[in-house]
Amino acid sequence: MKPDPSSWDQLPIGLFAFNLDGHIVSYNDSFLDLLGIVPPFNLALDRFTSSSFDLASAIRRVLNGETIRLAGWYQAPNRQPRFIRTTMSPSFQTDGQVDGGVGVIEDTTEQRRYEERMEHLSSLDPLTELFNRKKVGDVLTSAVQDTVDTKAPAAVIMLDIDYFKLVNDTFGHPTGDLVLRSIAQLLRRNIRKTDSIGRWGGEEFLIVAPQSTLTDGIQLADKLRQKINDEPFGPVPHVTCSFGVSSLDGGKTVEQALQDADEALYVAKNLGRNQVSSKR
C-alpha cells in the first residue's frame, strides 16, 4: 500500500511513489524542489537522470523487488549541480505482488563536499601540501595501467634535494621546512596541469608526467633543475637538486619504473649532483 501524501509537504526531504509503469503517482513539494521541476511535468522517472544519478535504471530494479540506494550529482535545469541521495523500495499489494514503489530523496551536497574535502586532505603531505607518498603512488599505478591500455608514453621523475642534511644542520629545521615548502611550490608551478607531483620521502619528490616520452621527462627535469638552481630560498642562498628520470613504455611495472628512476637519481648524485640522469 502506498503512503498517503497529504502529510508529506511539511517534510524537508522529498518523498514520492511510482507505479508499475515507472510513473510518479504521488510526491511532496520537497521532491519537486530538489529536482527543480514545476507542474505540469512529465512524470516518467527517466527524465530525472544524469551520468552519476540514474533514476530510470534504478526504478527497474525496484520493480523487480530490490531496495535501491542511489547517490550522485544531479543538475536540474537552470540550477547548480546538487549531490542527491535516494532510497527506493518496492510497494506491495495485499496478495504480496509488487505494484510500484516508494522513495525518499534528499540533498546532501554540503555533506558530500565535506567528504570530498576530507578525502583531498587525506591525500596531501601536511608540510608541502603536495600529494603524499600513497596518493602519488596511486597516480603512478594508474599511469602504468594507462600506458598498457592506450600505449601512450609516460615519464617518471624522482628528485632529491642535494645536501639537505647540511641545510638543516646549518640553518635549523624550521629553515629546512621552509626550503621543502618553497621547492614544492616551485615544482608545482612549473609542471603541467596533467602532471602529478608528490613528496616521496623526507627530501625526495616524485613526478608522474603522462603523455611524455623519456626525452620529454629529461627536458622537464632539466628545466626544474635550472629553476631550483637559480632560486634563493630565504636565508639559504643556494640549493640544488639531483634528478633521475625513467619511462613507463615497454610494459614496465610500478616497481620497475621506480627502480629505474631511483638508479638514475643515484647516478646523478655520483656525477656530482645538480644533474639529470635517466634510465630507459
Side-chain angles (χ1 to χ4, degrees):
M1 178 180 296
K2 297 184 179 64
D4 178 1
S6 59
S7 61
W8 288 3
D9 286 336
Q10 304 303 315
L11 297 175
I13 58 176
L15 301 174
F16 60 100
F18 46 90
N19 61 21
L20 287 172
D21 295 322
H23 287 73
I24 303 166
V25 294
S26 301
Y27 54 88
N28 67 352
D29 288 344
S30 292
F31 172 79
L32 299 179
D33 182 63
L34 286 173
L35 293 179
I37 52 180
V38 179
F41 59 92
N42 178 1
L43 293 176
L45 278 174
D46 58 7
R47 175 179 175 183
F48 313 121
T49 186
S50 69
S51 60
S52 60
F53 188 76
D54 188 352
L55 282 176
S57 60
I59 191 66
R60 291 190 289 270
R61 295 172 60 188
V62 173
L63 294 175
N64 283 326
E66 295 184 59
T67 293
I68 299 298
R69 291 174 177 83
L70 185 66
W73 288 99
Y74 170 80
Q75 185 166 11
N78 303 315
R79 294 276 193 94
Q80 292 295 316
R82 309 299 294 173
F83 195 82
I84 301 295
R85 298 183 193 272
T86 184
T87 300
M88 293 181 289
S89 299
S91 59
F92 300 92
Q93 297 175 349
T94 55
D95 62 2
Q97 295 296 310
V98 174
D99 67 349
V102 292
V104 176
I105 187 168
E106 55 185 325
D107 181 350
T108 58
T109 305
E110 295 309 315
Q111 177 185 344
R112 181 57 185 165
R113 286 176 175 160
Y114 174 79
E115 291 169 353
E116 289 177 342
R117 177 62 177 163
M118 292 301 100
E119 290 170 6
H120 176 66
L121 289 176
S122 71
S123 70
L124 298 183
D125 170 64
L127 177 63
T128 63
E129 296 184 350
L130 301 179
F131 285 153
N132 57 27
R133 183 185 179 99
K134 180 182 183 305
K135 179 61 178 179
V136 74
D138 291 343
V139 171
L140 178 58
T141 300
S142 296
V144 168
Q145 187 59 53
D146 287 343
T147 61
V148 173
D149 295 340
T150 67
K151 310 302 181 185
V156 179
I157 303 171
M158 188 176 290
L159 64 136
D160 185 87
I161 302 174
D162 296 328
Y163 302 112
F164 186 69
K165 183 179 184 301
L166 184 60
V167 172
N168 278 330
D169 291 345
T170 303
F171 298 95
H173 287 276
T175 297
D177 289 348
L178 171 65
V179 170
L180 278 169
R181 287 193 297 269
S182 299
I183 287 179
Q185 293 167 10
L186 184 152
L187 293 169
R188 183 164 48 193
R189 288 195 307 268
N190 287 281
I191 60 176
R192 303 170 303 175
K193 290 183 179 180
T194 53
D195 299 335
S196 298
I197 180 171
R199 187 180 180 191
W200 192 244
E203 62 267 19
E204 200 169 55
F205 302 90
L206 189 74
I207 299 170
V208 181
Q211 303 291 326
S212 299
T213 64
L214 182 65
T215 299
D216 295 331
I218 293 170
Q219 291 174 346
L220 173 59
D222 197 56
K223 181 185 81 169
L224 297 173
R225 182 198 64 79
Q226 189 63 52
K227 285 186 174 295
I228 293 169
N229 182 74
D230 294 343
E231 181 89 6
F233 294 96
V236 185
H238 189 223
V239 177
T240 65
C241 287
S242 299
F243 293 75
V245 186
S246 68
S247 63
L248 290 180
D249 55 0
K252 283 185 184 178
T253 65
V254 171
E255 292 75 16
Q256 288 170 331
L258 289 172
Q259 181 176 338
D260 287 348
D262 187 61
E263 290 178 2
L265 174 60
Y266 185 78
V267 170
K269 285 186 172 292
N270 279 345
L271 291 174
R273 294 178 167 79
N274 192 22
Q275 300 202 30
V276 174
S277 182
S278 65
K279 181 175 181 180
R280 183 170 294 280

